Structure formats: structure tokens, C-alpha cells
Amino acid sequence: MAILMKFNINTGDLGRVRTRLRRIRQLPQLTSDAMMEWGKILEGDMKTAAWQSGIKSFTGTLYEEGIRWEQRPRGYTGRLFMRLYALALDGMLPHWISVKPSRTGLLAWARQARNKDINSKALAVEQGRRKYFSLMVKPHPFIMNGWRRARPKLRPILAKYAKRAVGG
Amino acid sequence: MATTEYKHGSDCTGSDGALNRTLTLTYNAKPERFLLYVSGLLLSTLSSYKVTHQDTGSVITFLNALYDDMEIVVVYDIEFTTGKVNYGNLFSRSRDNIVSLIKDNVSDPTVSSSEHRKWIYSREPDVKANDFKGFPFIIIHPAVLSFDERTINGQVRTVLWGIQIEVITSDREFGNNDGNGSIHLDLISNEIVRYLNHSTNTNVLRINGLFFIDINATSVVVESFNNTLIYRRSFMLSFKNKMKVFA
């Protein structure tokens, strides 16, 4: 019996279709990659927004692991972790606090403060000439700013990865 | 972008006290903004030294005797040069090509062509700093890199770049440009898209190894900052190339 027709799916248009189908099969992985890329942008934008709202780096670990995006390499769920004090800084009401010797971090901050009044009062507390003094603290809202900045970037990133998978 | 390098005579080639000793800088310097101090004295280019500007970093030749214990301070602007992306400069050259393209084509709407103002950054500038030159400004973020298909020996791979450009304008801008935040945002964005899509520029990018440019713009985000409104739009650029990833 003679061969009437022979097909090779690795050539021409059929080859292209095959490549495209292989890429489409990668879509779940690419979606996960897209989310990771956006998550890192969200993390960066949150840190920038926190810095712009006036939160200083020496008050904690916010600019290191204090804000971080976590996602399993092939996971579809990503989480933005944030230290609890960052949430407090973002949403607290203005209130009075006492600066006293037992609050060492706060006292150290007060000793470095630019405001001479706070600085001298902190020195008096440190030297034991004064038991404590009070300060009014205000919120530093930044979470919504960071979110508003990062949210519009999600669609272009997903589009980029979808094009990579489907568009070839 | 200005940078300062602190060196000693011992960092130069040649022996202690010799003539024509050379010092290679980390980056290529712009000839028009170049200051060289030796032992606290500003040197004149006519009789004291000469500079050769090259891609791998400018080279200074000291014409007079230079001793190992002399302190050398060099203040210069880094020259971003366009050039072909290869496996050794995947991050730096891809971004430099975009910076150069934006610098050469997009004009600052707040100053005339004869004036100069720093308005392109690599990260969010400190808007409260004394040397901040005001709104509007552009941030060209460092490149993001990923790899796709590869040959059997792994030498050739599909390389994918992502570069984010942000345009930030404000209703309180440099000079007498108050209330123009939204207008300037659109003007700058128009120019960015126009020049990135222009066939001449896409050809230049292609020659330099950045193929298949794709531009996606985000919606405008309006923020309140320091009692003023800030407008922000991002462009997500992507490129790809199938190229050697090691020698």
C-alpha cells in the first residue's frame, strides 16, 4: 500500500498552533508569575507611601521585612504582610502618650528629635530630673495611598503575561 | 545623575610621584560637568590632566607628578549611553537605552529649551530635600528580568524585560506652573507614548537588542500630598529578545 499523504505537525501553521497550545498550557504558571511581579510592586509602593507619609526608618523594620509580599512559587494566593504597628500608625486617632524611662525606644527617639522642647524634656527624663512628659501623636496614613498606586498596575501586568501565553 | 568618587594616588597606575599616571572611573562621565580635585585643589584641564571618555568608564591621565598619598575627588555626571544589550549588561543597558530615549525626546513642560532641570529619577525623590527641583518629574525604575524558552545547552534563551516609567505632576509645580498638574501629566504622557511608538526609536531599540516593545499605561492616580494634589500615571514597558545568556 502506498502512502497517499503525509502530515508533519511540526511544520508551518500547524507547528505554530502546537507552540501556542504549549504556551497556553503554561498560562497557570504565568498567572502566578504575574501575581508575584505585581505583589513586589505593591510591596515597593507601600514602602514608598510609608516613607512619604513621614514614618522614619529607625522606628522599626517597616522598610525591611516589616512590609513584605509572600507567595508560593506556583500559588494563586499572595499575601501582603505588615507589622501590626504599621496598621496602628495608619489608622489610629490622635492621642496622648507618656514618654518615660521604661519606654526605651520612645525615649531614644525623643532624644534625637529635632524639636528642642521634646529633646530637653527627654534629657530630663533620662537624667531622672523628670518622671515623664506627654506627647500628642498623630496618624500617618499610607496604606490607601500605596494601594491606590499599585492597583492600576495589575491589569497591564496580567495583560503582558496573557499576551506572552496566548499572543506568542 | 551626579556622582562623586573618592580615590587616592595609590589607586592610579604607575609608581609614586611619576608623570602620566591614569585613573579609571566607575562610569563614563559627561565632559561638560566634570570637576577634579587633588589634595583639595581644583585642577585645570588645560595643563594638569586630560580625560578620555569611554563606555567602560572615563580614564583620567594626570600630566604632573602624582603621589600615592594624595587625595583625589572626582565629581561628575554619569553619561547614559545607548548600546547593544548583551549577556553582561542585561539590567543596566536595557534601562540606559530607555533613559537615553526619554531624555533625548521628551521635553520638560515647565522650562524653556535653554534651561535645565533634573527631572528624571531612578526612584521616588525626596520632595522635601533642598536639592529637589520640583514637579513634574519622571521615574524610570530599574529593569525587571525574566527568562523563557532555552536551547538544549541553555546558552540561548528568550529574555523578557519589564521597565516601569512613572510620570508624576502636581498642581504646585516648578516656576509659575501652578494648577497645571493634570495638563502636564497628559502632555508628558503624550510625548512618552509618541516617541516610544515612533518607528525610528523602535528601530534604535531593536538595533540595541530590545525587540517587540509593548506599552501599557495605567489609569491616573490622584493623591493628596503636602496639601497639594499629585497626579501619577505609570507605563509598563516590556521587551523581549532571543539571545545568548552566557559566553
Short mmCIF file of all heavy atoms in Angstrom, two decimals, chain B residues 98-109 119-120 138 165 167 184 187-196 201:
data_model
loop_
_atom_site.label_atom_id
_atom_site.label_comp_id
_atom_site.label_asym_id
_atom_site.label_seq_id
_atom_site.Cartn_x
_atom_site.Cartn_y
_atom_site.Cartn_z
N ILE B 98 16.46 53.17 27.54
CA ILE B 98 15.17 53.86 27.72
C ILE B 98 15.40 55.27 28.29
O ILE B 98 14.79 56.23 27.84
CB ILE B 98 14.24 53.03 28.66
CG1 ILE B 98 13.93 51.68 28.03
CG2 ILE B 98 12.95 53.78 28.97
CD1 ILE B 98 13.22 51.75 26.69
N VAL B 99 16.32 55.38 29.27
CA VAL B 99 16.61 56.70 29.86
C VAL B 99 17.09 57.64 28.76
O VAL B 99 16.61 58.78 28.66
CB VAL B 99 17.69 56.58 30.97
CG1 VAL B 99 18.16 57.95 31.44
CG2 VAL B 99 17.17 55.78 32.15
N SER B 100 17.98 57.15 27.93
CA SER B 100 18.53 57.98 26.86
C SER B 100 17.44 58.41 25.88
O SER B 100 17.38 59.57 25.47
CB SER B 100 19.63 57.18 26.18
OG SER B 100 20.02 57.77 25.04
N LEU B 101 16.56 57.47 25.55
CA LEU B 101 15.47 57.78 24.61
C LEU B 101 14.53 58.85 25.19
O LEU B 101 14.15 59.79 24.50
CB LEU B 101 14.70 56.49 24.33
CG LEU B 101 13.78 56.43 23.13
CD1 LEU B 101 13.76 55.02 22.59
CD2 LEU B 101 12.38 56.85 23.48
N ILE B 102 14.19 58.71 26.46
CA ILE B 102 13.28 59.67 27.09
C ILE B 102 13.98 61.03 27.22
O ILE B 102 13.38 62.07 26.92
CB ILE B 102 12.85 59.16 28.50
CG1 ILE B 102 12.10 57.83 28.39
CG2 ILE B 102 12.03 60.21 29.27
CD1 ILE B 102 10.71 57.88 27.90
N LYS B 103 15.25 61.02 27.64
CA LYS B 103 16.00 62.28 27.82
C LYS B 103 16.10 63.05 26.51
O LYS B 103 15.99 64.27 26.49
CB LYS B 103 17.41 61.97 28.32
CG LYS B 103 17.53 62.02 29.81
CD LYS B 103 18.99 61.94 30.20
CE LYS B 103 19.13 62.16 31.69
NZ LYS B 103 20.48 61.95 32.13
N ASP B 104 16.36 62.32 25.43
CA ASP B 104 16.58 62.99 24.15
C ASP B 104 15.29 63.51 23.52
O ASP B 104 15.33 64.43 22.70
CB ASP B 104 17.26 62.03 23.16
CG ASP B 104 18.68 61.70 23.59
OD1 ASP B 104 19.18 62.39 24.49
OD2 ASP B 104 19.26 60.75 23.05
N ASN B 105 14.17 62.90 23.84
CA ASN B 105 12.94 63.23 23.11
C ASN B 105 11.87 63.96 23.92
O ASN B 105 11.18 64.82 23.39
CB ASN B 105 12.32 61.95 22.53
CG ASN B 105 13.20 61.34 21.46
OD1 ASN B 105 13.42 61.94 20.43
ND2 ASN B 105 13.73 60.16 21.73
N VAL B 106 11.69 63.56 25.16
CA VAL B 106 10.58 64.14 25.93
C VAL B 106 11.04 65.45 26.56
O VAL B 106 12.08 65.50 27.22
CB VAL B 106 10.10 63.14 27.02
CG1 VAL B 106 8.94 63.73 27.81
CG2 VAL B 106 9.69 61.84 26.38
N SER B 107 10.26 66.51 26.33
CA SER B 107 10.68 67.82 26.85
C SER B 107 9.95 68.17 28.14
O SER B 107 8.78 67.81 28.33
CB SER B 107 10.45 68.89 25.79
OG SER B 107 9.13 68.81 25.34
N ASP B 108 10.65 68.88 28.99
CA ASP B 108 10.10 69.32 30.27
C ASP B 108 9.17 70.51 30.01
O ASP B 108 9.62 71.54 29.50
CB ASP B 108 11.29 69.73 31.17
CG ASP B 108 10.85 70.17 32.55
OD1 ASP B 108 9.65 70.35 32.76
OD2 ASP B 108 11.74 70.33 33.41
N PRO B 109 7.89 70.39 30.34
CA PRO B 109 6.95 71.48 30.00
C PRO B 109 7.11 72.73 30.88
O PRO B 109 6.55 73.78 30.56
CB PRO B 109 5.57 70.85 30.23
CG PRO B 109 5.79 69.74 31.16
CD PRO B 109 7.19 69.25 30.96
N TRP B 119 14.90 66.18 36.21
CA TRP B 119 13.50 65.73 36.34
C TRP B 119 13.32 64.25 36.01
O TRP B 119 12.22 63.76 35.99
CB TRP B 119 12.58 66.63 35.50
CG TRP B 119 12.62 66.39 34.03
CD1 TRP B 119 13.72 66.35 33.23
CD2 TRP B 119 11.50 66.16 33.18
NE1 TRP B 119 13.35 66.13 31.94
CE2 TRP B 119 11.98 66.01 31.87
CE3 TRP B 119 10.12 66.09 33.39
CZ2 TRP B 119 11.16 65.77 30.79
CZ3 TRP B 119 9.29 65.86 32.32
CH2 TRP B 119 9.81 65.71 31.04
N ILE B 120 14.44 63.54 35.78
CA ILE B 120 14.33 62.09 35.57
C ILE B 120 15.08 61.39 36.69
O ILE B 120 16.26 61.67 36.94
CB ILE B 120 14.89 61.68 34.19
CG1 ILE B 120 14.02 62.35 33.10
CG2 ILE B 120 14.90 60.18 34.01
CD1 ILE B 120 14.47 62.09 31.69
N ILE B 138 9.83 62.44 36.22
CA ILE B 138 9.63 61.08 35.67
C ILE B 138 10.52 60.12 36.44
O ILE B 138 11.67 60.45 36.72
CB ILE B 138 10.02 61.05 34.16
CG1 ILE B 138 9.09 61.97 33.36
CG2 ILE B 138 9.97 59.64 33.61
CD1 ILE B 138 9.50 62.10 31.89
N ILE B 165 7.79 53.08 33.95
CA ILE B 165 8.04 54.52 33.92
C ILE B 165 6.85 55.18 34.61
O ILE B 165 5.71 54.88 34.31
CB ILE B 165 8.14 55.04 32.47
CG1 ILE B 165 9.28 54.36 31.72
CG2 ILE B 165 8.32 56.55 32.46
CD1 ILE B 165 9.40 54.78 30.27
N VAL B 167 5.07 58.91 35.65
CA VAL B 167 5.06 60.36 35.44
C VAL B 167 4.28 60.96 36.61
O VAL B 167 3.16 60.55 36.88
CB VAL B 167 4.36 60.72 34.11
CG1 VAL B 167 4.38 62.22 33.88
CG2 VAL B 167 5.02 60.01 32.95
N HIS B 184 -0.14 68.87 32.40
CA HIS B 184 1.24 68.43 32.18
C HIS B 184 1.37 66.91 32.18
O HIS B 184 2.20 66.36 31.47
CB HIS B 184 2.17 69.06 33.22
CG HIS B 184 2.44 70.51 32.94
ND1 HIS B 184 3.04 71.35 33.83
CD2 HIS B 184 2.18 71.26 31.84
CE1 HIS B 184 3.15 72.55 33.30
NE2 HIS B 184 2.63 72.52 32.10
N LEU B 187 0.44 65.94 28.77
CA LEU B 187 1.45 66.38 27.80
C LEU B 187 2.67 65.44 27.80
O LEU B 187 3.14 65.00 26.76
CB LEU B 187 1.93 67.80 28.13
CG LEU B 187 1.08 68.96 27.64
CD1 LEU B 187 1.69 70.28 28.12
CD2 LEU B 187 1.02 68.96 26.12
N ILE B 188 3.17 65.18 29.02
CA ILE B 188 4.36 64.32 29.14
C ILE B 188 4.02 62.90 28.67
O ILE B 188 4.79 62.27 27.95
CB ILE B 188 4.90 64.33 30.58
CG1 ILE B 188 5.32 65.74 30.98
CG2 ILE B 188 6.07 63.39 30.74
CD1 ILE B 188 5.57 65.93 32.46
N SER B 189 2.83 62.42 29.07
CA SER B 189 2.43 61.06 28.69
C SER B 189 2.30 60.95 27.17
O SER B 189 2.73 59.95 26.57
CB SER B 189 1.09 60.69 29.33
OG SER B 189 1.17 60.81 30.71
N ASN B 190 1.72 62.00 26.55
CA ASN B 190 1.60 62.00 25.08
C ASN B 190 2.96 61.82 24.44
O ASN B 190 3.13 61.03 23.50
CB ASN B 190 1.06 63.35 24.58
CG ASN B 190 -0.42 63.50 24.84
OD1 ASN B 190 -1.09 62.53 25.15
ND2 ASN B 190 -0.91 64.72 24.75
N GLU B 191 3.93 62.60 24.94
CA GLU B 191 5.27 62.55 24.33
C GLU B 191 5.93 61.20 24.53
O GLU B 191 6.58 60.68 23.63
CB GLU B 191 6.15 63.67 24.90
CG GLU B 191 5.73 65.04 24.42
CD GLU B 191 6.86 66.04 24.42
OE1 GLU B 191 7.97 65.71 24.86
OE2 GLU B 191 6.62 67.17 23.98
N ILE B 192 5.76 60.66 25.74
CA ILE B 192 6.39 59.34 26.01
C ILE B 192 5.84 58.29 25.04
O ILE B 192 6.60 57.56 24.40
CB ILE B 192 6.15 58.92 27.49
CG1 ILE B 192 6.99 59.79 28.41
CG2 ILE B 192 6.48 57.44 27.70
CD1 ILE B 192 6.79 59.52 29.89
N VAL B 193 4.52 58.24 24.91
CA VAL B 193 3.91 57.23 24.04
C VAL B 193 4.29 57.49 22.58
O VAL B 193 4.65 56.55 21.85
CB VAL B 193 2.37 57.23 24.23
CG1 VAL B 193 1.70 56.35 23.20
CG2 VAL B 193 2.02 56.74 25.62
N ARG B 194 4.26 58.77 22.20
CA ARG B 194 4.57 59.14 20.81
C ARG B 194 5.99 58.70 20.44
O ARG B 194 6.21 58.08 19.40
CB ARG B 194 4.42 60.64 20.67
CG ARG B 194 4.67 61.17 19.30
CD ARG B 194 4.41 62.66 19.27
NE ARG B 194 5.25 63.31 18.31
CZ ARG B 194 5.68 64.55 18.42
NH1 ARG B 194 5.37 65.28 19.47
NH2 ARG B 194 6.42 65.08 17.50
N TYR B 195 6.94 59.00 21.33
CA TYR B 195 8.32 58.68 20.97
C TYR B 195 8.67 57.21 21.15
O TYR B 195 9.54 56.70 20.46
CB TYR B 195 9.29 59.58 21.75
CG TYR B 195 9.24 61.00 21.22
CD1 TYR B 195 8.70 62.03 21.98
CD2 TYR B 195 9.70 61.29 19.94
CE1 TYR B 195 8.61 63.32 21.48
CE2 TYR B 195 9.62 62.57 19.43
CZ TYR B 195 9.09 63.59 20.20
OH TYR B 195 9.00 64.84 19.69
N LEU B 196 7.99 56.54 22.08
CA LEU B 196 8.28 55.11 22.22
C LEU B 196 7.69 54.32 21.05
O LEU B 196 8.18 53.26 20.70
CB LEU B 196 7.72 54.58 23.55
CG LEU B 196 8.52 54.94 24.80
CD1 LEU B 196 7.80 54.47 26.06
CD2 LEU B 196 9.91 54.31 24.77
N ASN B 201 12.65 55.30 16.76
CA ASN B 201 13.08 54.87 18.10
C ASN B 201 12.94 53.37 18.30
O ASN B 201 13.80 52.75 18.93
CB ASN B 201 12.29 55.62 19.16
CG ASN B 201 12.62 57.09 19.15
OD1 ASN B 201 13.75 57.47 18.87
ND2 ASN B 201 11.64 57.93 19.43
#
